[in-house]
Amino acid sequence: MVRIEILAGPEAGRVVEFGPGSWRAGRLKENDLVLPVDSVSGRHLEFQVTADGTVRFRDLGSTNGTFSGGAQVQEGEWFAGSEVRLGSCALRLLAEGESGMLEEAAAEGRDAVRAREAALSAKRSPLPIALAAVLVLGAAGAGWWFFLRDGASDGPGRGTAVATEAAGAAQPSDAIGGLGDFSDPEAWSLADGATLRDGSLVASTGRTRATLLRAFDLASGGLTLRAQVSGGARAHAWITFGSDTEATEAMGTWASGDLSSGAELALPEGTRWFKLAVNVEGAGSVSALHVDNLERSVAAALIPPGRLFLENGNLLILAESEPLLTGAAAAGTWSRQEGGLAWNGGPVTLSPGAALRADGPTQILASGGPVGMAAGVRVEQSPGLIFGEEIRRMLVRHEPATWTAVDGSLRSEGLQALSLTWDLAPALTETARIAREIQTAGRGGDDARLLETAARLLREFPLDEDRNQAARDAQRAALERGRARLAELEASVASVIFVGAVDPMEPLAVRAEALASTFSGTPLGTQAEGLAAALRGALEAGRDAERAAAAAWNSRLLTALQGAYPAIASWVEAGN
C-alpha cells in the first residue's frame, strides 16, 4: 500500500492510498485519482504499484505535461518523499510512516485561524453550520481534517466564509465571500509578476493573473463585477463556470468587461457554480474587487452543432451538455450569420472542448498546410482554423493573424474580425473547384498556376485529406520538373562560360528569369533568380569588354589613317 498526498488544487492536503495494481490520475471522474484542476488533462497519468511498494508512472499524452525533479518527463520511477507535478497540481509520494501536512495538523491541533483558512480553501462541506462554528471556536485538528476531506466531494462553496457572529467575524458581503479585499494570500494563486500587498493585487509586468482557488455557487443568472484599478493598468475578470454539482466539469471560461468601470456578465442558463480570476495588463494595482449577483442569464439558441450561448465577446457551443467550443474576449461582439457566426472587436481566445477534440484535431491554417494545435505552437500570418472533422467540423476564416496555443486554448494577435462557419457546403464546393483547377493546370503544363492553386488549397481549404494529398503530390511533381529544367539550364551556362561566348547569355538569362517566375516563393525559384542575376551581370561585363575592344581598334585605325590618308581619317572621325 502506498500513500499519495495532493499538494495543490481544490483537494490540497488530501491523502489517498493505493494498493498493488495499475491506476490512472486525471481531471475526469472516471480516473482512480480525480484532480479537478484545469491544467490537468482528462486522462493525464498512469502509475503502477508493485507488491513491494515500487511506483512507476507514465504520462498519457497530457496537454501540459508531467514533471519530476523540475524536468518534464514521459515516464519514470516515483521515489518515496518526491513530488510529481501534473500541470499545476503537485503530488507527493509519502515515505513509509510519513504523515501528510493535514494529518500532522490533526495530530498537533490547529487554532481557530488555521481552521478558517482551511475552510476557505476547501469546497463547501456537507456538515451543518453548527459543526463549522465548533471548528472556528477551536475544534481538534482531527475534526478539522475530517471537515476538509469530506468537503472535497460535495460541490462548490457558496461564497461565504465559514464563520459565525459568536466568533466575532464579519459576514461576507458579496458573491465571493469578501475575498476581493486581497487580504488572504491563501485564497489566491498568483502568476509571475503578481503580488498581494496592503489589500491590493499589484502587477509589475505587462500581463499577469490572480486566481481564486475555490469555486462558488451561482445564486442567480450572472454576475456584476467592479474594482478600483490604478497605475494605468487594465483589469478584467475571467469566469470559469459549470453546471455539475461537484464543480469539476467546466463548461467554459468567459471574460468580463473593464472592472474599473463596472461590468455585467450573464452566464448560460443552468450554470450552478463559478470560479474567478483577475487578469491585469500593464503595471498597476487592483483593489476593492466586489462581485454581486445579476438577475439575468443567457438563453440557448439551437444551431446544427448544438446549443449556442452568446454574451458580448463570449460564446459557448454545447452538444448534449458537453462543451464543443468556447470563445472569450473582454471586448467585442458575436453575431449570427447564415451558416455560422461573425466576430468583430479584436483579439479573442478560442478553446475547443473535449467533445470537439474527440471528433478530430484542431488545426491552424498555414502556408504549406494546416498545423496541429500543440502547446507552444505559434503560427503567424494564418488565415484561420479548423475544428474537428465530419459532422461537427467548424471553419474559422479571417484576414492574416497570429494564433498561439496556450493551455489548451488558441489566443489570437492582430485579429479584428473573423467568420466561424459550421455550414461547410460552400467551402467544400470551393475545395472541389480548386482541386479541379490543379488538375487542369497539371495537364496543361502550367506549373506556375498549379503551384499557386495547390498552395491556396492547402492554406485556405484543406478540408478533404484525399485532395490535400493530391495537391501535395502535384506540387512535388512540378518541383521535380523545375529542378530538371534548372539542371539543364546550369549545364548550358557552363558551356557558354567555357567557350567565353557573350551573345548566348541573353537567351539563357531569359530562361532563368522565366523559371524563377514559375517557381516564385520556393527554394528552386530563388536559385533560378540568382542564376538569372549572375547571367545578366556576366552579359553586361562581356558587352563592356566588347565595346572597349572596339574603341581601341578604332583608335589604332585612325592613327594609321591620319598619317597616310588624312582625308579618309577625317571622314571616319565624322562618323561615316
Side-chain angles (χ1 to χ4, degrees):
M1 185 74 68
V2 298
R3 306 172 74 240
I4 297 173
E5 180 182 19
I6 303 172
L7 299 179
E11 297 196 8
R14 180 184 172 202
V15 175
V16 289
E17 297 182 346
F18 292 96
S22 179
W23 312 94
R24 285 192 175 185
R27 194 179 66 253
L28 299 179
K29 290 184 286 187
E30 64 193 48
N31 290 286
D32 304 296
L33 176 56
V34 179
L35 302 170
V37 178
D38 291 342
S39 60
V40 175
S41 294
R43 300 173 184 85
H44 196 116
L45 186 79
E46 181 179 61
F47 58 95
Q48 294 184 335
V49 181
T50 64
D52 63 358
T54 300
V55 182
R56 293 197 60 84
F57 63 87
R58 177 173 65 91
D59 187 273
L60 297 176
S62 65
T63 299
N64 294 315
T66 298
F67 295 79
S68 177
Q72 184 170 358
V73 295
Q74 293 300 314
E75 59 182 18
E77 184 173 349
W78 196 351
F79 297 99
S82 66
E83 296 180 11
V84 169
R85 181 163 60 85
L86 287 60
S88 63
C89 185
L91 305 175
R92 175 180 172 83
L93 181 63
L94 297 178
E96 185 176 356
E98 182 182 5
S99 299
M101 290 185 296
L102 292 183
E103 292 174 322
E104 293 176 358
E108 297 174 0
R110 297 286 185 173
D111 59 16
V113 173
R114 180 59 177 154
R116 178 182 177 277
E117 290 177 354
L120 285 174
S121 62
K123 299 176 183 176
R124 184 183 70 243
S125 171
L127 299 180
I129 298 300
L131 179 55
V134 172
L135 286 170
V136 174
L137 290 172
W144 173 67
W145 160 241
F146 180 83
F147 166 79
L148 180 61
R149 182 193 62 192
D150 288 358
S153 63
D154 185 52
R158 292 197 171 275
T160 56
V162 181
T164 65
E165 294 181 2
Q171 293 299 312
S173 59
D174 65 356
I176 58 171
L179 295 174
D181 61 6
F182 298 107
S183 62
D184 187 351
E186 297 296 324
W188 293 89
S189 172
L190 304 177
D192 291 342
T195 57
L196 299 187
R197 186 187 310 149
D198 299 328
S200 296
L201 167 64
V202 180
S204 59
T205 60
R207 177 179 295 177
T208 189
R209 170 181 288 204
T211 304
L212 277 173
L213 293 175
R214 58 174 296 186
F216 301 87
D217 280 343
L218 184 68
S220 56
L223 302 168
T224 62
L225 309 102
R226 64 183 183 276
Q228 295 178 9
V229 183
S230 61
R234 292 184 301 164
H236 306 273
W238 285 68
I239 305 297
T240 300
F241 54 89
S243 60
D244 61 308
T245 57
E246 294 84 7
T248 58
E249 301 294 330
M251 291 194 296
T253 299
W254 281 5
S256 78
D258 192 337
L259 292 178
S260 63
S261 57
E264 291 188 354
L265 185 64
L267 295 171
E269 57 186 4
T271 298
R272 300 182 61 176
W273 60 267
F274 72 93
K275 295 181 180 179
L276 180 143
V278 178
N279 273 26
V280 186
E281 296 182 6
S285 64
V286 180
S287 60
L289 172 65
H290 196 85
V291 183
D292 290 321
N293 295 304
L294 174 67
E295 296 295 334
R296 180 170 67 87
S297 62
V298 181
L302 294 179
I303 58 174
R307 291 185 294 152
L308 170 68
F309 302 86
L310 297 178
E311 168 74 354
N312 300 327
N314 304 293
L315 78 83
L316 172 65
I317 300 176
L318 295 179
E320 299 178 355
S321 299
E322 292 292 326
L324 288 182
L325 183 66
T326 306
T333 56
W334 291 93
S335 59
R336 297 286 298 273
Q337 64 180 15
E338 184 175 357
L341 300 170
W343 160 255
N344 286 280
V348 66
T349 297
L350 297 176
S351 306
L356 188 58
R357 295 196 302 269
D359 286 342
T362 295
Q363 298 175 307
I364 307 172
L365 301 184
S367 297
V371 177
M373 187 184 88
V377 166
R378 177 182 175 88
V379 177
E380 299 180 353
Q381 295 296 305
S382 168
L385 310 168
I386 297 177
F387 293 108
E389 291 178 341
E390 304 301 333
I391 298 175
R392 289 175 173 170
R393 184 163 48 173
M394 289 181 273
L395 175 65
V396 172
R397 299 296 305 277
H398 50 71
E399 293 297 318
T402 298
W403 288 100
T404 304
V406 181
D407 296 333
S409 299
L410 288 166
R411 297 177 182 173
S412 65
E413 299 173 39
L415 180 70
Q416 295 300 319
L418 65 77
S419 173
L420 187 153
T421 306
W422 50 76
D423 179 6
L424 299 189
L428 289 169
T429 299
E430 182 66 6
T431 300
R433 188 196 67 76
I434 296 174
R436 289 193 299 270
E437 191 172 344
I438 295 171
Q439 294 174 345
T440 301
R443 288 193 296 266
D446 189 348
D447 284 340
R449 185 61 178 163
L450 184 155
L451 291 171
E452 179 185 348
T453 51
R456 183 174 179 229
L457 184 143
L458 292 172
R459 173 178 168 80
E460 301 180 17
F461 295 95
L463 301 175
D464 184 298
E465 187 51 42
D466 290 339
R467 290 190 170 107
N468 294 348
Q469 189 58 50
R472 296 188 189 98
D473 292 341
Q475 284 179 322
R476 280 193 290 270
L479 289 171
E480 288 175 3
R481 291 191 294 271
R483 281 190 286 269
R485 290 167 58 188
L486 180 62
E488 179 185 350
L489 183 58
E490 289 173 336
S492 299
V493 171
S495 298
V496 168
I497 293 174
F498 179 76
V499 299
V502 173
D503 289 341
M505 290 185 181
E506 174 69 30
L508 290 176
V510 171
R511 287 170 58 189
E513 288 165 349
L515 192 62
S517 176
T518 297
F519 294 93
S520 177
T522 70
L524 176 60
T526 302
Q527 286 180 273
E529 187 177 353
L531 180 59
L535 283 168
R536 288 293 180 190
L539 179 60
E540 186 62 27
R543 285 177 175 169
D544 286 344
E546 287 180 341
R547 285 191 290 269
W553 184 86
N554 285 338
S555 178
R556 291 193 300 272
L557 176 62
L558 285 172
T559 300
L561 289 173
Q562 285 170 350
Y565 305 99
I568 295 176
S570 298
W571 182 79
V572 171
E573 283 183 310
N576 297 314

